[in-house]
Amino acid sequence: GYTLGQIVEACTRFQSETVHKDPIHITAHFLRATNVGPAEVRVSVQKIGKNFTNLLADLVQGGHTTLTSHLIFGDLTPVPGEIPRSLAAPSPYARRLPLHDHPSAAVRDRMRHVWRFHSLLSWSIDHTILACNAMRSQTRVDTEIIGGGGVEWGAWCELTRPEDEIKPSSIPFFGDMFLNIPSLLPDSEPATLTPFSSWFPTVTMTVEFKARIPSSQDYASRTVGLYSESRFLTDPHGRHNARVEVWTAPSAIGQGKLEAGWRDKQYCIAVVDQMALTLPMDLNHRQGSRNKVITKL
């Protein structure tokens, strides 16, 4: 996610003097691990249309393309006078913030110490959502299950340094900040794995930006809401999917106050989908020792 964010940042700067300044959609394929050190983002324009600009962008390091991507840029400014074509509250069909508690009531949870960036980030996990993954959950004890399956996860996630702020290039990183299906399965499931025994490299990632990141004081500048769902885990290579919704936050974790209607004021900034693999951790360590890579773990 962080690596893709570098491409988003480069392309956002590339588009800064055009009418299509906002990233709309990104499709990325991760070809190789990214090493510690300098890298080059190569951007080319494929098409400039009335509503969108299509770009190709590659991250190149040591003469090899490590990440290739297709980006669509446009303008996320609402068009005045147009007939509304958005589902929003109070419509009963509109998607609402899926997290249960206001950030002011949230308690910070410990982040995994193996994440090298854990001092720059904090989160408060939604334990009500987490409880839905339990074997005794009502969704799993019915005699006949129609649809269903998979796991859910959610949290308020926050940049800890006061000078930091969320921007478009942050979204792929936040979209990669979740606990995946192999990690959330109970011990009774044969497919369960501990995060310490396995490596989960991302193979593909897509990001759809639904709206601009808010600049109003009504929203937190360093905090987002995250909700993920993962439905499939299959061989070969333990391939699994994840869909992560990135939402606005009304305040920082442990701050602000609960106000009536606060939930309906929040909106989804982006939706991030990815396909990842489940590989032995020693493979990650061997590759890291050989190439000095920064991995997602």
Side-chain angles (χ1 to χ4, degrees), residues 16-210:
S16 63
E17 300 300 322
T18 72
V19 295
H20 298 152
K21 296 179 173 62
D22 299 314
I24 303 292
H25 191 275
I26 306 161
T27 302
H29 290 250
F30 296 81
L31 307 179
R32 295 177 175 85
T34 303
N35 299 338
V36 178
E40 183 179 85
V41 177
R42 298 176 181 173
V43 182
S44 61
V45 178
Q46 298 301 297
K47 178 186 175 183
I48 301 176
K50 178 181 178 181
N51 296 316
F52 302 115
T53 293
N54 295 72
L55 305 177
L56 291 182
D58 294 337
L59 188 75
V60 180
Q61 192 170 59
H64 297 287
T65 300
T66 63
L67 193 165
T68 185
S69 62
H70 185 169
L71 302 92
I72 302 173
F73 274 72
D75 185 356
L76 288 173
T77 305
V79 179
E82 251 195 16
I83 298 173
R85 288 177 290 181
S86 297
L87 280 176
S91 169
Y93 293 97
R95 174 71 166 164
R96 259 68 165 196
L97 176 74
L99 301 182
H100 289 79
D101 297 319
H102 190 277
S104 62
V107 177
R108 298 180 194 274
D109 291 291
R110 186 176 180 180
M111 303 198 78
R112 293 176 55 197
H113 70 279
V114 294
W115 283 339
R116 300 180 184 181
F117 51 80
H118 70 273
S119 63
L120 304 176
L121 205 67
S122 64
W123 67 16
S124 175
I125 294 174
D126 191 317
H127 291 275
T128 303
I129 295 176
L130 206 59
C132 296
N133 302 323
M135 195 64 189
R136 63 182 179 276
S137 171
Q138 186 62 40
T139 59
R140 298 173 212 283
V141 298
D142 291 340
T143 304
E144 182 181 11
I145 297 176
I146 301 174
V151 297
E152 301 172 79
W153 180 88
W156 294 111
C157 193
E158 184 171 287
L159 300 171
T160 56
R161 297 188 305 188
E163 66 269 24
D164 288 336
E165 64 178 5
I166 297 165
K167 52 186 180 178
S169 58
S170 309
I171 299 303
F173 172 76
F174 280 114
D176 205 23
M177 289 298 303
F178 63 95
L179 297 184
N180 59 21
I181 188 168
S183 304
L184 291 173
L185 289 174
D187 293 338
S188 58
E189 285 294 315
T192 187
L193 291 167
T194 66
F196 308 104
S197 66
S198 302
W199 175 37
F200 308 108
T202 302
V203 180
T204 66
M205 180 180 288
T206 65
V207 184
E208 182 189 359
F209 288 84
K210 301 290 188 182

